[in-house]
Amino acid sequence: RAKQAGKGTWRFASEQLNGLHMPQAQLEVLLRGALERGEFTLYFQPLIALRTGRVSSFEALMRWTSPVLGPVSPANFIPVAETREMMGGLGRWALREAVRQMGAWQATLPGVGVAVNVSATQFAHDGFVAEVRSALADYGAKPERLTLEVTESSVLGNVRQARHKLLELRDLGVRVALDDFGTGYSSLGQLRSLPVDVLKIDRVFIQDSGTDAAFIQAMVSLGHSLGLRVVAEGIEDAPAVARLLDLGCDLGQGFHFARPLPAAQAVAAMARLCPASGETEAPLSGWNG
Ligand code: C2E
Ligand code: MG
Ligand code: MG
Ligand code: MG
């Protein structure tokens, strides 16, 4: 359940549970028309440049509050939307809403980027690059501030086609991050041939105390050898920050810094994270190494 978290805002008390034990068909019924009824919002979670402690960008994360179920985790509703062909509309909405927010932030938060998740079917869609282009144009947003997060499985289905699309996105000037890195099966050869800018190491590696530091180190080195920025997801405490900094991670994201929050509260959290100034890390430009 969501619980009241002060200032009249609703916070997602936990990331799991709601909708989890509901049959897919029922979830699907509730999902139909949910977008038109305005049941979705985007939350934003900061990515921190570990060396400077500054906010470099925000990841946009979809939130669904069903009038019947309460808050439902994207981990539960996105797979249903994907199989029921409802992800097209949802993904387009998230992209446009993230770009709109980024455009709005351009004046007040210069240098801060926004990352948005792209589902496998959304990425595979023929019109995807055109949708990104028109979202940027419609909101007067700077392409180099936008990062698209794709997963290994989204690009591995058809590596040649994916590569072509990634090159088109690069031409547009947007950045691409490979999300949940380490959980898929991309070969080194494939990784090397893909024009991406950022590797996001999945939080299972960051949070599993059994994972050898050497393993994370290897992923960081791999990313750096390909000229990529490396992000650690799921940082929950200060010792993890120190460890990852030591291992050479460039950026970090996690509850230790801030949870995903509505846009205005995310900006407030940013002010708390970088109290010295409103300045931020240089944007994603120049990340190509
Ligand atoms: P992701 O893209 O890997 O996003 C990171 C997830 O980790 C988010 O879960 C975030 O809330 C969570 N997280 C961040 N820091 C921590 C931490 O310190 N500890 C823990 N335990 N978790 C942390 P969330 O928001 O539930 O999203 C889950 C997944 O749903 C995302 O994983 C992404 O794959 C998908 N998703 C969310 N929004 C969208 C969207 O707009 N479009 C698409 N296609 N997928 C989305
Ligand atoms: Mg992501
Ligand atoms: Mg991820
Ligand atoms: Mg993940």
Side-chain angles (χ1 to χ4, degrees):
R1 292 282 136 191
K3 70 173 182 241
Q4 197 93 42
K7 288 199 213 153
T9 57
W10 291 86
R11 198 173 62 154
F12 286 75
S14 77
E15 301 282 313
Q16 68 278 43
L17 301 184
N18 283 301
L20 189 60
H21 301 294
M22 175 142 287
Q24 287 225 340
Q26 255 171 289
L27 213 48
E28 184 197 340
V29 168
L30 295 170
L31 266 175
R32 292 234 177 260
L35 189 59
E36 291 72 21
R37 293 191 298 271
E39 293 170 12
F40 290 93
T41 51
L42 286 185
Y43 272 31
F44 295 87
Q45 187 182 34
L47 275 73
I48 313 297
L50 291 177
R51 263 177 299 277
T52 63
R54 287 182 173 166
V55 172
S56 114
S57 55
F58 290 98
E59 178 176 4
L61 294 156
M62 221 189 271
R63 294 290 179 264
W64 176 31
T65 306
S66 156
V68 177
L69 301 171
V72 183
S73 164
N76 299 329
F77 71 78
I78 285 176
V80 176
E82 280 273 52
T83 57
R84 305 304 163 111
E85 281 157 22
M86 290 186 281
M87 200 56 210
L90 269 187
R92 250 189 317 275
W93 172 83
L95 171 69
R96 292 189 62 84
E97 181 58 15
V99 171
R100 186 196 63 76
Q101 184 60 70
M102 193 178 88
W105 276 336
Q106 249 163 220
T108 48
L109 303 176
V112 173
V114 168
V116 62
N117 293 283
V118 175
S119 79
T121 51
Q122 192 181 5
F123 182 74
H125 183 244
D126 280 341
F128 178 63
V129 176
E131 282 165 15
V132 175
R133 189 186 296 113
S134 43
L136 289 164
D138 291 349
Y139 297 112
K142 294 180 179 159
E144 68 273 15
R145 301 273 166 83
L146 180 66
T147 299
L148 301 171
E149 297 195 359
V150 300
T151 59
E152 287 170 82
S153 47
S154 301
V155 293
L156 289 185
N158 186 338
V159 177
R160 275 191 48 184
Q161 211 165 39
R163 197 178 126 70
H164 179 74
K165 202 164 274 196
L166 292 171
L167 288 170
E168 283 186 294
L169 291 168
R170 174 163 285 183
D171 281 346
L172 261 188
V174 306
R175 314 281 149 175
V176 176
L178 211 48
D179 204 355
D180 304 340
F181 184 69
T183 62
Y185 300 93
S186 44
S187 73
L188 293 183
Q190 286 167 332
L191 188 61
R192 199 164 154 254
S193 77
L194 290 172
V196 298
D197 308 283
V198 181
L199 277 192
K200 296 190 81 172
I201 301 177
D202 194 82
R203 69 169 188 264
V204 298
F205 303 104
I206 309 303
Q207 289 171 355
D208 174 9
S209 54
T211 301
D212 193 2
F215 195 66
I216 297 175
Q217 177 81 78
M219 289 192 269
V220 173
S221 302
L222 174 65
H224 285 171
S225 72
L226 295 170
L228 311 180
R229 284 294 170 101
V230 180
V231 183
E233 296 186 319
I235 297 181
E236 294 190 348
D237 52 39
V241 178
R243 205 161 55 237
L244 291 159
L245 195 53
D246 214 46
L247 293 171
C249 261
D250 304 294
L251 296 139
Q253 177 179 0
F255 296 169
H256 170 70
F257 299 111
R259 288 181 175 259
L261 294 164
Q265 284 165 258
V267 171
M270 173 178 162
R272 176 174 55 73
L273 287 163
C274 342
S277 66
E279 277 172 59
T280 54
E281 188 76 348
L284 306 178
S285 51
W287 276 28
N288 286 329

